[in-house]
Amino acid sequence: MDYRENYKLWLEEKSLDPKLRAELEAIADAPGEQEERFYTELEFGTAGLRGVIGAGTNRMNIYVVRRATQGLADYLKTFPGGPERGVAIAYDSRHMSDVFAKETALVLAKNGIKAYLYRTLHSVPQLSFTVLHLNCMAGVVITASHNPPEYNGYKVYWQHGGQAGPEQASEILGYIRKADYFKVKPMEEGAALESGLLNMIGEEVDEAYYTDTMSLCLNPELTEWNGADTRIVYTPLHGSGNVPVREILRRIGIKNISVVKEQEEPDGSFPTVKAPNPEDPNAFTLAFDLANKTGADLILATDPDSDRLGVAVRGRDGRFQVLTGNQIGSILIHYILSTRNEHRTLPGNGLVVRSIVSTRMADAICAYYGVELREVLTGFRFISEQIAESLETKEHTFLFGFEESYGFLSGCFSRDKDAICAAMLLAEAATVYELQGRNLYDVLQEMYAKYGFYGEAVKSYTLKGKEGLEKIAGAMRALRADKIAQFGGVRVVKSEDIQTGTITYPDGREEKCPLPKSNVLRYFTEGDGWLCVRPSGTEPKLKLYIGAKGSSEAELKAELSRLMTAADGMISELLK
């Protein structure tokens, strides 16, 4: 259907929310805006839905949420016992999150499916935990992670606690497309509660989550130590982490925690930051000020749905350094493996999992301790699949999984990245090292000396709308057609097209790629360098990842610069 017809259809719909109708009336003379809102529907994939809040099929609103939920309900009904096991639902601090969560619960109830809804905002890892803890068939989180304030989203989880996989997402999408935006109606809240189809999740589930998370402490006697005075500054960046992060740190014995007051309360406008993203050093500005006042050496930051953790540590010059996700992941792996090795609790079949775009320092640490390192495609659901497999086959003991995009997980009771658990382990590590006269910056420098100087760089190319998606698709086609032999004079020793499942060598030899097919290109260069190019799965964005190793910090920086300059020039030209 043409976007103009869709626009007219929505505008003439009698049941349309008055605020959304006013939005559409305001663009009556703006065909470009009409097209942007109606030329397509929000894509439903492995990350569910994500888009700008507003009126239209290409926006997040109650009608899009109801339709998606109806599709999920129809899909879930095909599984014996699915409606009885039900769906757990959580939401973060974003605009409309509580509204979308309740709409989700009441549409499920209308379909005879039990809905378990949190009374207050809760994090992604807590939802993942709850799906498993309550033996639900599925889960939904209303969140757009660390996107700008105008965004919201709808993430679907399955009974294993991880996000729905590609095949499931495709099947759910098939059911969604059969539903009409305006014919899906929610159940009345009172009737849903009375019938037992709407159930409010109680504090006992939070208690179970805290108990299991604390079981991952490697030094549980921390609560009894008096020698350490670890001073930590924490900011939830206006999101859902404020209660659980502070509670878990308090329970393990971390007493000296200062919270950034301006960012403490939930606020979907995120007024103190451009974007609530702990990957952005600018998000730490207020935390830096507080840390300097309190004398803290460690800053922790969580994004709105508390699945990502950002960290800043004080360097030898007294200034704070914001760590990359790769550095945080490496510190956590080093701490977990070295401590368990020291305590003689490191299993012989231990397993660490990282995404294909994450640091190779993880490989070096695992090799040192004799632990298997496995790489998976980008997306934490692939890590959760490895957890499920390790539990099923008993061939490996899952120890840790991470992505360079600030996602970390230890333990098997949650199946998505968990900033609450990661904050606990980082705080514990900081305390242990402080008693040894070191902070986390010192430990990181020791790691470089021990395992090698590894470094990475990332660049995102963000375009707009339909035209942007077409340019990105064209750039990927052009890269595939060009048999790239070198980057900045550094020879490519192996190329990998994960979409076709082909590994190619300079002499023309080919091998089969062991990873599942995905729209990703990888290049491996002489001297342990690598590059990866992939489109984002949720927005018109192309991402370039680069990794290198050097014998010194200076050599590492030079190699990263050389690779980035060459690759960036090539991609920028293709996106013109």
Side-chain angles (χ1 to χ4, degrees):
M1 188 182 291
D2 183 81
Y3 76 86
R4 287 166 289 225
E5 293 178 50
N6 270 327
Y7 170 71
K8 184 179 178 183
L9 188 69
W10 276 56
L11 195 58
E12 294 176 351
E13 172 58 44
K14 293 180 181 179
S15 65
L16 185 68
D17 179 271
K19 290 183 179 179
L20 298 184
R21 185 184 304 282
E23 274 188 41
L24 297 183
E25 289 173 344
I27 60 171
D29 298 319
E33 180 67 19
Q34 293 173 21
E35 182 178 16
E36 179 58 30
R37 288 171 180 259
F38 289 99
Y39 83 91
T40 189
E41 297 174 338
L42 283 184
E43 181 180 345
F44 184 92
T46 54
L49 301 166
R50 188 176 298 181
V52 174
I53 300 169
T57 58
N58 193 32
R59 292 288 188 270
M60 280 293 295
N61 52 69
I62 59 170
Y63 306 104
V64 168
V65 169
R66 287 175 181 175
R67 182 173 181 251
T69 305
Q70 185 62 52
L72 174 62
D74 290 338
Y75 175 70
L76 194 145
K77 289 175 190 176
T78 66
F79 293 86
E84 291 75 26
R85 290 175 61 185
V87 180
I89 304 158
Y91 60 93
D92 69 4
S93 60
R94 288 183 172 273
H95 296 309
M96 300 293 290
S97 281
D98 56 343
V99 174
F100 292 160
K102 187 170 287 187
E103 290 286 336
T104 300
L106 295 178
V107 169
L108 289 169
K110 185 76 170 179
N111 281 270
I113 296 171
K114 277 192 174 182
Y116 297 89
L117 177 64
Y118 274 109
R119 297 177 187 276
T120 58
L121 70 166
H122 274 69
S123 66
V124 157
Q126 287 172 294
L127 181 280
S128 175
F129 172 85
T130 300
V131 170
L132 291 166
H133 184 72
L134 297 181
N135 192 34
C136 292
M137 197 72 193
V140 173
V141 184
I142 306 299
T143 178
S145 190
H146 53 274
N147 278 60
E150 62 269 24
Y151 280 80
N152 212 328
Y154 181 104
K155 293 171 70 171
V156 174
Y157 289 74
W158 200 238
Q159 59 182 333
H160 48 64
Q163 292 183 42
E167 291 183 7
Q168 279 188 318
S170 179
E171 291 173 3
I172 295 170
L173 177 58
Y175 284 99
I176 292 174
R177 285 175 172 163
K178 295 176 184 177
D180 184 280
Y181 285 102
F182 299 106
K183 289 182 180 178
V184 180
K185 303 296 182 183
M187 196 175 198
E188 194 276 325
E189 184 176 354
L193 286 166
E194 187 176 346
S195 67
L197 289 168
L198 175 59
N199 304 270
M200 307 310 292
I201 300 173
E203 292 181 359
E204 67 278 0
V205 177
D206 290 340
E207 283 299 318
Y209 171 78
Y210 291 139
T211 298
D212 281 359
T213 300
M214 288 178 64
S215 72
L216 298 173
C217 282
L218 298 172
N219 289 284
E221 68 278 13
L222 197 68
T223 55
E224 302 171 6
W225 291 353
N226 298 314
D229 183 30
T230 308
R231 298 184 182 186
I232 297 174
V233 164
Y234 168 62
T235 172
L237 295 178
H238 306 287
S240 63
N242 185 42
V243 171
V245 170
R246 294 170 72 176
E247 180 63 18
I248 204 73
L249 294 183
R250 182 190 69 79
R251 291 192 183 201
I252 68 166
I254 304 293
K255 300 179 179 66
N256 206 331
I257 308 167
S258 301
V259 179
V260 178
K261 291 297 180 184
E262 300 92 330
Q263 298 171 332
E264 182 177 3
E265 295 302 318
D267 189 336
S269 296
F270 310 115
T272 63
V273 290
K274 288 184 178 179
N277 187 354
E279 299 180 51
D280 182 0
N282 294 317
F284 286 82
T285 300
L286 293 174
F288 290 150
D289 293 340
L290 182 58
N292 287 327
K293 289 177 183 175
T294 60
D297 283 344
L298 175 63
I299 300 173
L300 305 174
T302 53
D303 66 345
D305 57 1
S306 299
D307 60 353
R308 286 178 166 87
L309 175 73
V311 177
V313 297
R314 196 183 295 276
R316 291 168 183 161
D317 60 359
R319 298 179 182 178
F320 274 98
Q321 175 182 328
V322 177
L323 302 185
T324 67
N326 285 314
Q327 290 172 323
I328 299 167
S330 296
I331 289 173
L332 285 169
I333 295 170
H334 171 75
Y335 176 64
I336 292 168
L337 300 191
S338 63
T339 302
R340 293 193 67 159
N341 185 62
E342 181 182 340
H343 293 175
R344 300 181 183 272
T345 60
L346 186 63
N349 64 346
L351 175 66
V352 171
V353 186
R354 64 159 173 78
S355 70
I356 60 173
V357 295
S358 299
T359 182
R360 273 48 175 178
M361 179 181 265
D363 304 49
I365 299 170
C366 288
Y368 183 87
Y369 288 101
V371 170
E372 180 177 340
L373 185 288
R374 193 173 294 173
E375 67 172 8
V376 295
L377 292 176
T378 303
F380 218 86
R381 61 189 169 79
F382 293 109
I383 295 176
S384 70
E385 287 174 1
Q386 295 297 318
I387 298 173
E389 181 183 318
S390 68
L391 290 173
E392 182 179 346
T393 66
K394 310 294 185 186
E395 292 178 4
H396 294 90
T397 300
F398 175 79
L399 298 173
F400 189 74
F402 82 105
E403 293 183 322
E404 56 79 36
S405 54
Y406 293 70
F408 319 100
L409 180 65
S410 183
C412 301
F413 49 82
S414 179
R415 302 292 169 81
D416 206 345
K417 43 193 177 287
D418 188 339
I420 300 162
C421 177
M424 179 192 76
L425 290 172
L426 248 298
E428 180 186 84
T431 301
V432 171
Y433 293 134
E434 182 183 327
L435 289 168
Q436 299 169 359
R438 303 176 290 166
N439 70 8
L440 291 181
Y441 178 85
D442 299 324
V443 172
L444 184 60
Q445 305 314 307
E446 293 167 5
M447 288 168 59
Y448 286 131
K450 182 174 184 176
Y451 303 117
F453 287 85
Y454 290 86
E456 299 75 34
V458 182
K459 179 158 186 178
S460 295
Y461 304 83
T462 303
L463 290 84
K464 290 186 178 181
K466 183 180 179 182
E467 183 182 354
L469 289 171
E470 291 171 350
K471 284 185 177 181
I472 288 170
M476 291 299 290
R477 285 194 299 270
L479 287 171
R480 283 192 166 89
D482 186 1
K483 305 300 181 183
I484 300 172
Q486 54 86 26
F487 287 95
V490 184
R491 191 169 71 94
V492 172
V493 297
K494 183 172 71 172
S495 301
E496 190 173 74
D497 186 341
I498 300 178
Q499 188 170 67
T500 63
T502 307
I503 298 173
T504 305
Y505 294 90
D507 61 6
R509 285 184 300 117
E510 291 188 352
E511 292 178 359
K512 185 177 179 181
C513 173
L515 293 165
K517 291 186 178 181
S518 182
N519 190 12
V520 179
L521 293 169
R522 287 205 294 178
Y523 307 92
F524 300 86
T525 63
E526 288 181 321
D528 292 326
W530 57 272
L531 303 92
C532 181
V533 185
R534 72 173 186 91
S536 168
T538 56
E539 52 192 321
K541 180 185 291 186
L542 189 68
K543 298 194 79 171
L544 166 66
Y545 304 82
I546 290 174
K549 181 185 179 183
S551 59
S552 65
E553 184 177 359
E555 184 178 293
L556 169 63
K557 287 182 177 180
E559 187 70 5
L560 282 174
S561 177
R562 185 181 348 183
L563 293 175
M564 176 59 80
T565 300
D568 178 39
M570 184 183 302
I571 291 173
S572 296
E573 186 66 28
L574 292 174
L575 290 175
K576 283 184 178 178

